[in-house]
Amino acid sequence: MRRILTYSVLFLVLFSLVSFTALAQTRISGKVTDEAQKGALAGISIAIKGKVIGTITDQNGTFSLTTNTPTPFVIAVTGVGFQTQEFTINGDRTDLNVQLKEQVMLGQEVVVSASRVEESVLKSPVSVERLDIRTFQSTPSATFYDALQNIKGVDMSTQSLTFKSVNVRGFGANGNTRVVQLLDGMDNQAPGLNFSVGNIAGVSELDLESVELLPGAASALYGPNAINGLLLMTSKSPFQYQGLSAYVKGGVMNASNRTTATTPFYDAAFRYAKAFNNKFAFKVGVSYLSAKDWQATDYRDQSYSNGYTLDNGTRANNPGYDGVNIYGDASANMYASLFGNGQPGTGANGTSQVLGLIATTQLAQAGNRTLPQLTGLSPQQIFNILIPNLNISRTGYLESDLVNYNATNLKLNGALHYRLNDNVEAILQANWGTGTTVYTGADRYYIKGFKLGQYKLELRGSNFFVRAYTTQERSGDAYATSILGQGINEAWSGSASTWFPTFFGAYAQNALLGYAGAYLTALGSGQTQSAALAAAQAYASSQQGTLLTNSRDAADKGRYLPGSAEFQNALDKVAAKPIPGDANGVGARFLDKTNLYHAEFMYNFSKAIDPKLVELIVGANFRRYALNSEGTLFARDENGKEYNIDEYGAYAQASKTIADVLKLTGSLRYDKNQNFKAQVSPRLSAVLTVSKVHNFRASFQRGFRIPTTQDQYIDLNTPSARLIGGLPLFKQRYNFSGSPVYTLQSVQAFGALLQQNGASALPQALGLLKTATDPGYDPERVETYEVGYKGLIGNKLFIDAYYYYNRFLNFLGNQIVVQGKTPVTLADPVSTLQLVSSSTRNVYTYPVNSATTVKNAGWAIGVDYLLPGSYMIGGNVSSNYLVDKDQIPTGFVTQFNTPKYRYNFSFGNRNLAGTGIGFNVVFRAQESFLWESSFANTEATGRQQTIIPAYSTLDAQISKKIPSIKSILKVGGTNLTGKLYTQSWGNPSVGSMYYISLTFDQLMN
């Protein structure tokens, strides 16, 4: 494949060079001014339509362009915030004076994401949203990436200040693998994670020209995984945007739950671009951010054990407490752990140490008789009285004990552009980013020094491109916080060898002595034996809380405390050791050095076939994932090597416009991944234009999602479960056929009955256990039906609305199963007790297809209205919901993590009465919703309580243009009401930000 790519590039270079012939040159020059202000406009683009050749105006608004393009041809004069003007050139033109009018109304944008060709946003065959430079300048959000959540239908999941995930149309996630993010045509995903890490390794706002969001399936043109949406970011060309640009931004962040509530943040960026003779151009850029991050401080009890819930469970009252953002609190069931099974607290030949303790402890006050001798009860009967059927968890650590909240982000960008002739431009581009942040997956991962580099070579013409790029991911000093907390506890006191035996032993010893003392006291007071036994049992029950507290104190004696040298030494050792560790201890380090290699081309036949007859494009791509986690994340093959994954695809699209009223488009794509059967993705659409301002559209398309690299090959043992890939090799590796696995729901019911009624209920409880079935593992497919309307009425009212309906076939969700550490069979009832204790069982989570079709639907409407004086008021509302939710199998986790309704309202003016003062106010709100993920405790029967509360925010900014120094001064704030909110389970609470920024643009142009 690499040879084919090399030959293709060489062929195109030679073809482009030989196509350069000595043609007559045409010279164009002139001046561009502002019609309203009458001043010269610098940085205005003058480009020949259908070519790559063009230039920009200088500081005086003048320009000069020489071209070999045969006349007649059309030039387009464009500038940010101005209406585009076009002129037909029939020969030399040296007096072209252009006056540009300000463009204040929406609906005039040109988009490329919907069809891979330029078209009016009003006539796009599917839903598409576009943000441009003026949007970035006027948003009150602290960054352009934050501004995406103001788009209708967009949900944002904030895992830290610098790591946020964009979600659309439901099925949201912290790392969203259903939305593809492209930067200048490069898939911006971290290949070992299969999702984009926000904008950590993306583009600086100074170098960003536009963002297009395509909600819904886009697989017909963009291939795998663009099943819920496509985010296309385009950087500035150094030919069109020249000179020096820079900004400095500073302010404060405030949240009442942080260690220090109010802290400063700093953000700065620099960009320089220069073109020489309209032939060669380059650009370089750097941006850096530093701040104290938002903190995750949800300490509610998500164990749901021992009868407690999120609302009432605490470390003080629940011995099985498991705080959402507290890590290292591994648990075990006291009764199951002590009674047989060869686990902590178990003696030789499967006879419980506690039973032995009860049978042999001689009581001096009772004439050295044992308690069974004294009471006439058997050791097992006394065991059942003294030992409660409770889950016990270790004492964990707060996230703030394990994570350094110093967030940083450094981005470096550069590109070389060379125009081989008027038709072809060569581009060599590099984007590199590094940062320290926290993100939420199956764990809360602390990422220190994460690095992502993207390097691209591209040949681009007006009707084709061919590009090759690689994405290089390096995880840096990253670790999983839950595993780190567990590892620190294990480094101090091993759970199986020391901590649980100490806890259980202390409890049993003290309970035994207390019970015996109460029994003897009652007998001594003249009570009958039965009354004395009842009094002793009542006393034992009354002392349970004290016994649990004293037992924890005994087991925790000498525990490593945050801030101590012992704690820091253990943290450093566990954090440096790769997952899962070795015989010498637990490892929490997350290693990933996975690379992505991608090559693709597209060709538009517009020069060979008259577009008025039909517009035809074709394209193809090849991709390879080279997995490399040094065995910490991905499984190895029989040779000890991690896997490569290859996939390829090809597509074609034809469109026809009839009488400038009806546009019909059809697309078809074929894709093949080496581990799965081929996928075919069609798209059919129609756009009907009525009275030139009303555009009605309808479409059908099929999208698909290849299981991610992790879903295919992950093999990671986390505190809550072992995450394994869905490929058949893992069922074989973990002996699912020889050692049966049981559904989580049946194990929960089994454990609940035992906890309620004790060991006597075991025969009845066995009937609740059910072995897990294998529903299959294939790529997820979606069939999307959509209708929509876009209209620009009276050049004042812009309306955009849509309704969609999705049918997900082979929907990919997660299945959780439980397996005994030794084979469990219903024929051996005692063996089934392994299933209810974390120390005696294995829990596996792996992706599977739903046995039923999952359906969802939604709608959205956005309205913008231009008021007198260029005031703009706008708003949007969107809704997403599951259809036939009751038909989804019980226990199948869809992760449909989205509110049913969300709203946005805005009011602003970019230029108040021509003063250069602008402002914008944005209000955003959403309803509460259920969050499902591998980080939330999906083992618990009460998981329906994992609700993300409703919230609303108010953001605002005011800005002033300072033309004399080509700058904009901006003051703003987000979440001005100051009420903390979270956007997904276990993630930090987001507070308020207040900032001031000064941006210089196109100096030294």
Side-chain angles (χ1 to χ4, degrees):
M1 181 62 205
R2 292 182 182 175
R3 263 185 203 174
I4 294 173
L5 175 63
T6 302
Y7 293 154
S8 299
V9 172
L10 289 174
F11 171 77
L12 284 168
V13 171
L14 292 173
F15 173 79
S16 302
L17 289 175
V18 300
S19 66
F20 180 80
T21 57
L23 300 174
Q25 291 189 332
T26 301
R27 184 172 181 269
I28 312 162
S29 62
K31 186 173 183 177
V32 180
T33 57
D34 185 331
E35 184 184 68
Q37 304 296 326
K38 307 302 182 184
L41 292 175
I44 299 298
S45 170
I46 293 89
I48 300 176
K49 293 194 68 176
K51 305 291 181 179
V52 299
I53 192 72
T55 188
I56 63 170
T57 58
D58 61 17
Q59 300 279 17
N60 300 315
T62 61
F63 67 92
S64 178
L65 176 65
T66 301
T67 176
N68 293 311
T69 302
T71 57
F73 56 81
V74 177
I75 65 169
V77 183
T78 60
V80 176
F82 294 95
Q83 296 179 16
T84 297
Q85 292 192 38
E86 295 183 352
F87 300 89
T88 299
I89 304 298
N90 293 300
D92 287 353
R93 184 79 182 270
T94 59
D95 59 348
L96 187 60
N97 294 316
V98 182
Q99 292 185 334
L100 292 184
K101 297 180 180 180
E102 184 181 5
Q103 177 179 301
V104 295
M105 188 55 212
L106 299 176
Q108 305 298 324
E109 299 94 336
V110 173
V111 296
V112 297
S113 59
S115 303
R116 280 193 180 265
V117 295
E118 291 187 355
E119 60 190 352
S120 167
V121 69
L122 288 170
K123 297 183 179 181
S124 168
V126 292
S127 299
V128 62
E129 307 280 351
R130 189 177 191 273
L131 306 181
D132 60 17
I133 294 173
R134 291 195 303 169
T135 308
F136 309 145
Q137 291 173 347
S138 63
T139 179
S141 301
T143 70
F144 83 88
Y145 207 82
D146 293 343
L148 296 175
Q149 60 192 325
N150 296 328
I151 297 175
K152 64 178 178 291
V154 171
D155 299 318
M156 190 78 83
S157 172
T158 298
Q159 294 135 82
S160 61
L161 177 66
T162 57
F163 190 6
K164 300 168 185 179
S165 295
V166 176
N167 303 308
V168 289
R169 299 196 172 180
F171 306 108
N174 285 314
N176 195 347
T177 59
R178 287 184 169 92
V179 173
V180 171
Q181 181 170 298
L182 299 179
L183 172 57
D184 293 331
M186 296 182 287
D187 193 335
N188 197 225
Q189 65 168 283
L193 301 173
N194 274 148
F195 54 79
S196 299
V197 287
N199 193 41
I200 289 178
V203 60
S204 164
E205 190 168 310
L206 283 178
D207 194 36
L208 184 64
E209 182 181 53
S210 66
V211 176
E212 294 181 24
L213 176 68
L214 195 67
S219 295
L221 291 180
Y222 293 94
N225 309 328
I227 192 170
N228 265 32
L230 175 78
L231 188 67
L232 178 64
M233 298 185 291
T234 303
S235 68
K236 296 175 179 177
S237 164
F239 283 109
Q240 292 179 295
Y241 299 88
Q242 296 183 39
L244 172 66
S245 302
Y247 74 71
V248 289
K249 184 185 300 180
V252 296
M253 299 166 55
N254 176 268
S256 58
N257 70 318
R258 299 199 302 166
T259 305
T260 303
T262 303
T263 58
F265 76 91
Y266 311 95
D267 187 7
F270 159 93
R271 178 187 186 270
Y272 181 71
K274 179 66 176 176
F276 301 90
N277 299 321
N278 292 319
K279 276 291 191 181
F280 172 73
F282 75 92
K283 65 177 179 179
V284 292
V286 59
S287 65
Y288 181 76
L289 178 145
S290 176
K292 285 285 188 180
D293 215 330
W294 306 121
Q295 295 186 10
T297 56
D298 187 348
Y299 302 140
R300 292 175 297 169
D301 179 14
Q302 68 168 352
S303 71
Y304 306 99
S305 66
N306 307 322
Y308 291 93
T309 67
L310 276 172
D311 297 326
N312 57 27
T314 66
R315 169 58 71 203
N317 62 22
N318 182 13
Y321 170 82
D322 175 17
V324 177
N325 293 127
I326 295 181
Y327 314 121
D329 38 6
S331 67
N333 182 272
M334 186 185 298
Y335 188 95
S337 296
L338 289 174
F339 187 62
N341 304 323
Q343 293 300 319
T346 300
N349 302 320
T351 302
S352 170
Q353 290 178 349
V354 176
L355 288 175
L357 182 70
I358 293 171
T360 60
T361 298
Q362 295 181 336
L363 305 171
Q365 65 270 41
N368 291 327
R369 285 181 292 172
T370 65
L371 195 58
Q373 293 172 339
L374 181 66
T375 61
L377 301 177
S378 70
Q380 182 63 60
Q381 288 175 309
I382 298 173
F383 180 96
N384 291 340
I385 294 171
L386 297 183
I387 305 302
N389 191 15
L390 294 175
N391 288 326
I392 308 297
S393 64
R394 296 198 63 169
T395 307
Y397 295 98
L398 306 181
E399 181 172 298
S400 57
D401 297 331
L402 305 175
V403 166
N404 186 332
Y405 283 117
N406 291 328
T408 59
N409 183 208
L410 171 66
K411 289 191 282 281
L412 304 176
N413 309 92
L416 302 175
H417 291 235
Y418 183 72
R419 287 172 173 168
L420 302 174
N421 52 45
D422 288 1
N423 297 301
V424 181
E425 183 175 321
I427 303 170
L428 179 63
Q429 181 174 344
N431 299 328
W432 183 87
T434 183
T436 297
T437 187
V438 186
Y439 86 89
T440 311
D443 204 326
R444 283 277 287 170
Y445 296 97
Y446 176 63
I447 308 297
K448 181 181 180 182
F450 173 86
K451 299 176 180 65
L452 190 73
Q454 292 196 288
Y455 312 97
K456 178 183 73 168
L457 176 63
E458 179 175 1
L459 285 177
R460 183 171 61 198
S462 58
N463 67 323
F464 78 92
F465 69 77
V466 57
R467 69 171 65 107
Y469 67 87
T470 179
T471 303
Q472 313 272 314
E473 177 187 353
R474 301 295 180 264
S475 58
D477 297 323
Y479 56 77
T481 54
S482 289
I483 299 177
L484 177 65
Q486 177 185 343
I488 295 172
N489 267 335
E490 294 294 328
W492 162 65
S493 176
S495 292
S497 62
T498 307
W499 197 90
F500 281 113
T502 300
F503 185 102
F504 296 154
Y507 188 97
Q509 180 73 35
N510 293 326
L512 174 65
L513 295 177
Y515 181 87
Y519 176 76
L520 290 171
T521 298
L523 283 179
S525 65
Q527 296 185 37
T528 63
Q529 183 180 22
S530 60
L533 288 172
Q537 185 167 348
Y539 177 82
S541 297
S542 70
Q543 294 300 302
Q544 185 179 102
T546 301
L547 290 171
L548 290 169
T549 300
N550 292 340
S551 299
R552 181 172 299 278
D553 291 342
D556 274 350
K557 188 176 182 180
R559 177 175 176 265
Y560 295 159
L561 298 178
S564 67
E566 295 85 358
F567 174 86
Q568 190 61 47
N569 182 57
L571 186 153
D572 292 341
K573 288 183 177 179
V574 177
K577 185 177 296 187
I579 294 172
D582 52 34
N584 297 318
V586 174
R589 187 179 182 190
F590 174 86
L591 293 174
D592 194 2
K593 300 178 181 179
T594 296
N595 295 333
L596 167 67
Y597 302 96
H598 184 98
E600 66 175 314
F601 80 89
M602 189 202 77
Y603 186 81
N604 188 324
F605 286 88
S606 57
K607 293 186 177 181
I609 303 174
D610 186 353
K612 293 181 179 179
L613 178 64
V614 64
E615 189 166 25
L616 177 66
I617 64 172
V618 297
N621 74 276
F622 171 83
R623 173 174 290 191
R624 166 169 288 181
Y625 295 93
L627 306 184
N628 181 9
S629 68
E630 298 186 8
T632 64
L633 175 65
F634 297 111
R636 299 179 190 266
D637 62 18
E638 60 275 7
N639 299 315
K641 296 181 179 180
E642 295 181 48
Y643 296 83
N644 290 336
I645 305 173
D646 291 342
E647 57 189 43
Y648 58 88
Y651 62 90
Q653 174 180 274
S655 61
K656 172 69 174 177
T657 301
I658 303 173
D660 290 328
V661 172
L662 179 64
K663 183 178 181 180
L664 303 174
T665 304
S667 310
L668 187 66
R669 184 180 176 101
Y670 173 91
D671 286 276
K672 181 69 176 71
N673 179 286
Q674 68 180 46
N675 291 327
F676 302 97
K677 60 186 179 182
Q679 300 295 314
V680 176
S681 306
R683 185 180 81 177
L684 299 172
S685 65
V687 180
L688 176 66
T689 301
V690 178
S691 301
K692 297 184 178 181
V693 297
H694 303 289
N695 299 273
F696 300 89
R697 65 183 184 273
S699 64
F700 164 79
Q701 56 187 313
R702 180 178 294 160
F704 72 101
R705 181 167 74 97
I706 296 288
T708 67
T709 53
Q710 291 193 26
D711 280 350
Q712 291 182 56
Y713 287 110
I714 194 172
D715 192 357
L716 178 65
N717 196 19
T718 73
S720 59
R722 176 177 285 276
L723 311 181
I724 60 175
L727 296 174
L729 71 91
F730 289 97
K731 277 82 170 180
Q732 300 169 8
R733 179 169 297 183
Y734 292 106
N735 193 26
F736 279 20
S737 59
S739 182
V741 294
Y742 295 86
T743 65
L744 174 67
Q745 292 71 35
S746 70
V747 170
Q748 290 172 343
F750 173 80
L753 186 58
L754 287 181
Q755 187 170 3
Q756 182 178 359
N757 299 305
S760 61
L762 184 57
Q764 180 185 355
L766 293 176
L768 299 176
L769 289 176
K770 296 181 180 179
T771 56
T773 59
D774 188 353
Y777 189 52
D778 290 304
E780 179 179 293
R781 292 180 291 141
V782 65
E783 294 177 349
T784 299
Y785 304 83
E786 181 175 331
V787 293
Y789 165 81
K790 280 188 178 180
L792 180 59
I793 303 172
N795 288 324
K796 290 182 178 294
L797 178 63
F798 178 72
I799 302 174
D800 183 8
Y802 65 77
Y803 169 83
Y804 73 90
Y805 175 79
N806 287 337
R807 295 178 68 249
F808 284 89
L809 313 174
N810 298 329
F811 184 87
L812 284 169
N814 292 320
Q815 180 160 288
I816 306 173
V817 298
V818 183
Q819 179 191 60
K821 288 192 173 180
T822 60
V824 169
T825 65
L826 301 183
D828 180 8
V830 175
S831 72
T832 62
L833 292 175
Q834 296 180 81
L835 301 176
V836 298
S837 175
S838 62
S839 61
T840 59
R841 69 182 181 185
N842 298 316
V843 179
Y844 299 97
T845 298
Y846 54 92
V848 294
N849 297 125
S850 171
T852 61
T853 299
V854 176
K855 292 170 280 189
N856 83 297
W859 55 268
I861 182 170
V863 177
D864 293 284
Y865 187 73
L866 181 62
L867 297 167
S870 297
Y871 289 92
M872 184 77 71
I873 186 171
N876 61 70
V877 58
S878 58
S879 176
N880 301 290
Y881 50 91
L882 287 172
V883 179
D884 297 333
K885 186 176 180 179
D886 56 342
Q887 295 182 13
I888 298 174
T890 302
F892 187 85
V893 181
T894 65
Q895 297 190 16
F896 188 73
N897 299 323
T898 185
K900 186 172 183 180
Y901 296 104
R902 65 187 313 277
Y903 318 85
N904 288 288
F905 301 99
S906 64
F907 176 67
N909 191 315
R910 290 194 175 107
N911 190 4
L912 276 168
T915 62
I917 296 175
F919 74 92
N920 197 12
V921 180
V922 176
F923 175 79
R924 187 174 69 253
Q926 67 179 47
E927 293 187 331
S928 63
F929 64 97
L930 173 69
W931 185 272
E932 298 177 322
S933 72
S934 54
F935 184 73
N937 189 353
T938 52
E939 280 199 63
T941 55
R943 69 182 176 86
Q944 294 295 322
Q945 298 181 50
T946 56
I947 296 295
I948 305 302
Y951 73 89
S952 62
T953 66
L954 181 67
D955 306 340
Q957 66 87 14
I958 185 170
S959 61
K960 176 67 172 74
K961 292 182 179 179
I962 310 175
S964 60
I965 56 173
K966 293 189 173 182
S967 65
I968 298 177
L969 179 67
K970 183 175 176 181
V971 178
T974 61
N975 193 16
L976 297 178
T977 61
K979 186 176 180 180
L980 302 185
Y981 65 89
T982 58
Q983 294 179 309
S984 46
W985 188 257
N987 278 347
S989 299
V990 179
S992 303
M993 295 182 70
Y994 307 91
Y995 64 86
I996 181 170
S997 69
L998 183 62
T999 301
F1000 304 89
D1001 196 18
Q1002 295 190 12
L1003 298 172
M1004 300 169 57
N1005 185 1

